[in-house]
Amino acid sequence: MADFYELLGVSRSASAEEIKKAYRKRARELHPDANPGDTEAEAKFKDLSRAYQVLSDDGQRARYDQFGEAGVGGAGGGPSAEDIFGGGLGDIFETFFGGGGGGSPFGGGRQRGPSGPPRGQDVEVIVDVDFVQAVFGDQIDVELKLPVRCDTCDGSGAGENTQPVRCSECEGTGQVQRVRQSLLGQMVTASPCQRCGGLGEVITTPCSSCRGEGRVTEDVSYKVDIPAGVDTGSTLRLMRRGAAGPRRGGKGDLYVHLRVRPDENYTRDGDDLITEIPISIAQAALGTSVELETLDGTEELVVPPGTQPAREFVLKQRGVHRLQGRGRGDLIARVRVDVPTKLSDDEVELLRSYADGRGEMVGNGKEKLLSRIKSAFH
């Protein structure tokens, strides 16, 4: 994966707010809804979400800055010696001084055990949430198909009344070692056993339900807490809610990418909400009082005389709950003056009289010219 800072388009000294703004901008550009059928954009969107997940967390960002992506591969702490060197320090000694009792100056090499069943895959899913749920938070059901532990064999993969047996190829160690001579002495290399897949055990009589896999695919439903203030592109990580690993392996993680449905009355600008107040020309000129529907209920709003189109009224703390802080944004009510398209004859005369009183020309000009011609013949 590319450098996380480059993915977001920010410098390594960027503030948390700059990272957040950059993520929102890029997420809108790369979101699957904006690029239907574009697998490359979808892959970039996933990488972008991963980058933001790390850089928006101070602890993970510090580990990433120090160790790179290897430092944020696990749940906590920096990379271990095994992460950096591809094995323990003992493996390095084994490589240069021999293993398995082959002349190590430290009293012989150590016998490594099987690596164990592999962890299950991480799973990603896109979930639609309502606008109000995103503003106030909620709990939703997420349903998907996942590999889960087989109930018939309890994940062992072995058939009824049977058990896995020790692998004869690796003698149950899960690894096959090869020794060769070098200028530094014996060099020992170890690799996962191909026969048992590094598990140290083989299935002679597979389970009839999972065919020796130890897992089956089923419909799964999870309750997911949606934090107040999320937006399209927000990603939730549910640890150990992904696919089950084969043969009692651990579960992967579940990444829930959120997609917020638009609302017909409100648009969102960060933590602020924007809505329109439709009023007539007379109401704008003379003033009025309107009932404004907010997400918290109905409020009375006084529109003073002489209000101009696009004037904004700000209602504090009526917007979106801040995702990473206290309080809420504001509700901005923007005036929209509706001009009537159909008028009765009386209404036309009233408006003409009003325009004449103010010395304003109305109509398309031809009507006034015809009026003057008619007056000249009277």
Side-chain angles (χ1 to χ4, degrees):
M1 186 183 292
D3 181 79
F4 287 170
Y5 291 97
E6 291 181 2
L7 284 171
L8 291 166
V10 298
S11 66
R12 303 188 77 86
S13 60
S15 65
E17 187 62 27
E18 290 173 331
I19 290 174
K20 184 177 181 180
K21 288 182 179 178
Y23 169 69
R24 284 179 171 172
K25 180 181 178 182
R26 291 285 291 152
R28 291 190 182 97
E29 295 173 355
L30 297 174
H31 197 277
D33 282 355
N35 304 274
D38 190 338
T39 56
E40 182 178 354
E42 183 178 354
K44 290 181 178 179
F45 178 74
K46 292 179 181 178
D47 291 343
L48 182 74
S49 298
R50 170 63 174 157
Y52 178 69
Q53 177 194 358
V54 171
L55 299 186
S56 62
D57 181 277
D58 292 340
Q60 291 195 69
R61 182 178 180 181
R63 293 196 297 273
Y64 178 78
D65 290 343
Q66 186 174 3
F67 302 108
E69 194 169 356
V72 293
S80 64
E82 292 186 352
D83 294 327
I84 298 174
F85 296 108
L89 292 175
D91 292 331
I92 300 176
F93 290 130
E94 282 186 338
T95 300
F96 288 102
F97 299 106
S104 168
F106 299 99
R110 58 192 176 93
Q111 187 74 12
R112 298 191 60 174
S115 59
R119 173 179 176 271
Q121 302 94 336
D122 291 339
V123 177
E124 295 181 282
V125 62
I126 297 177
V127 175
D128 293 312
V129 297
D130 291 333
F131 192 85
V132 175
Q133 289 177 313
V135 172
F136 293 106
D138 200 357
Q139 187 179 76
I140 63 173
D141 292 319
V142 175
E143 298 179 351
L144 63 163
K145 287 184 177 295
L146 282 180
V148 299
R149 179 174 290 190
C150 175
D151 288 334
T152 304
C153 64
D154 193 29
S156 70
E160 188 177 1
N161 298 323
T162 66
Q163 295 291 333
V165 298
R166 190 173 70 167
C167 175
S168 59
E169 182 76 18
C170 64
E171 297 297 330
T173 65
Q175 293 186 338
V176 177
Q177 295 185 342
R178 293 177 176 82
V179 182
R180 64 185 181 87
Q181 291 295 129
S182 72
L183 293 175
L184 297 175
Q186 286 185 334
M187 295 191 67
V188 180
T189 59
S191 59
C193 176
Q194 296 296 318
R195 184 166 185 263
C196 65
L199 300 180
E201 297 177 332
V202 294
I203 303 295
T204 56
T205 306
C207 169
S208 59
S209 297
C210 64
R211 299 180 180 178
E213 182 75 7
R215 57 181 182 173
V216 293
T217 300
E218 293 182 355
D219 292 322
V220 177
S221 179
Y222 290 128
K223 293 283 187 183
V224 178
D225 291 320
I226 304 297
V230 296
D231 200 357
T232 294
S234 296
T235 299
L236 307 178
R237 180 188 182 189
L238 281 68
M239 297 183 64
R240 295 181 294 279
R241 293 293 186 273
R247 310 267 293 280
R248 295 176 179 167
K251 289 184 177 181
D253 297 335
L254 174 62
Y255 291 89
V256 181
H257 302 294
L258 301 180
R259 182 169 54 193
V260 180
R261 298 186 184 96
D263 188 271
E264 60 181 6
N265 297 320
Y266 303 96
T267 56
R268 182 170 172 176
D269 182 14
D271 294 325
D272 294 334
L273 294 176
I274 300 174
T275 188
E276 286 189 331
I277 311 171
I279 61 175
S280 67
I281 295 176
Q283 289 174 322
L286 303 176
T288 187
S289 177
V290 298
E291 288 188 347
L292 178 62
E293 293 293 335
T294 75
L295 295 180
D296 298 274
T298 303
E299 298 195 22
E300 185 176 355
L301 184 66
V302 176
V303 179
T307 294
Q308 300 299 307
R311 176 175 175 177
E312 294 180 347
F313 297 89
V314 179
L315 283 73
K316 295 291 186 181
Q317 296 292 311
R318 296 294 189 276
V320 181
H321 287 267
R322 294 189 173 92
L323 185 59
Q324 295 180 339
R326 297 182 178 179
R328 299 171 61 179
D330 301 329
L331 172 61
I332 301 172
R334 187 173 294 158
V335 171
R336 185 188 76 215
V337 178
D338 289 338
V339 179
T341 57
K342 293 182 179 181
L343 298 172
S344 66
D345 293 340
D346 291 340
E347 289 171 333
V348 170
E349 289 302 320
L350 284 172
L351 287 177
R352 286 188 183 280
S353 177
Y354 168 79
D356 288 341
R358 295 178 61 88
E360 298 172 350
M361 178 180 291
V362 295
N364 56 16
K366 293 182 178 179
E367 296 178 2
K368 191 169 185 179
L369 177 61
L370 291 173
S371 177
R372 289 180 178 177
I373 293 173
K374 290 180 180 178
S375 299
F377 286 97
H378 288 300

